[in-house]
């Protein structure tokens, strides 16, 4: 079983940047599809971005395309989300997720992932 721990969240002004990290332990993530989801207050958790186990395929929700970049370093067992040009509507708790054996062929859903972190708060002030 893999444990996931997110870090890097915080308070930033609109237009600023943050880099989230998702550190995995207990199992190597080399063959796991990984993803980022977020949940704003009074809203459902939604997909943000995902990356295939080899990093060759990436997916983004439309609202973050061109602003967020997902990446992974399998040697460090860590995934990242570089967020730039942040907007107040990006405010949410950000969760990382992993699923071994998942072949990403299209935008994944919450149900595709079996392992989740506890989340890190991102707050963007206007």
């Amino acid at each position: 079983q893999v444990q996931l721990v997110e870090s890097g969240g915080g308070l930033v002004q609109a237009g600023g940047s943050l880099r989230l990290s998702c550190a995995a332990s207990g199992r190597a993530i080399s063959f796991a599809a990984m993803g980022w989801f977020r949940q704003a207050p009074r809203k459902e958790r939604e997909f943000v971005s995902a990356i295939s186990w080899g990093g060759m395929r990436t997916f983004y929700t439309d609202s973050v395309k061109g602003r967020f970049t997902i990446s992974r370093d399998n040697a460090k067992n860590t995934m990242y989300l570089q967020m730039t040009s942040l907007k107040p509507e990006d405010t949410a708790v950000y969760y990382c997720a992993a699923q071994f054996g998942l072949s990403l062929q299209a935008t994944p859903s919450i149900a595709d992932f079996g392992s989740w972190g506890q989340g890190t708060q991102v707050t963007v002030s206007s």
Side-chain angles (χ1 to χ4, degrees):
Q1 188 172 357
V2 64
Q3 290 77 46
L4 304 173
V5 178
E6 303 93 337
S7 62
L11 174 63
V12 64
Q13 289 187 331
S17 300
L18 284 174
R19 188 176 83 152
L20 305 184
S21 298
C22 173
S25 62
R27 188 175 177 183
I29 61 169
S30 302
F31 296 101
M34 305 285 291
W36 288 98
F37 293 76
R38 66 187 179 186
Q39 187 166 15
R42 298 175 297 282
K43 292 188 177 180
E44 294 185 352
R45 192 171 299 189
E46 64 175 3
F47 169 77
V48 177
S49 182
I51 187 168
S52 61
W53 65 266
M56 297 300 289
R57 286 190 294 273
T58 57
F59 300 86
Y60 298 91
T61 191
D62 286 346
S63 63
V64 308
K65 285 180 180 177
R67 300 189 298 120
F68 291 10
T69 303
I70 192 171
S71 62
R72 64 191 297 164
D73 185 339
N74 288 342
K76 294 184 178 180
N77 231 30
T78 302
M79 175 182 64
Y80 305 96
L81 185 68
Q82 179 67 49
M83 305 186 296
T84 64
S85 301
L86 282 161
K87 304 175 181 179
E89 50 264 43
D90 294 319
T91 294
V93 177
Y94 283 70
Y95 298 90
C96 71
Q99 182 59 47
F100 294 90
L102 173 62
S103 176
L104 285 179
Q105 302 296 328
T107 299
S109 68
I110 292 173
D112 288 323
F113 292 91
S115 299
W116 292 84
Q118 293 300 307
T120 185
Q121 177 71 47
V122 171
T123 303
V124 184
S125 63
S126 57

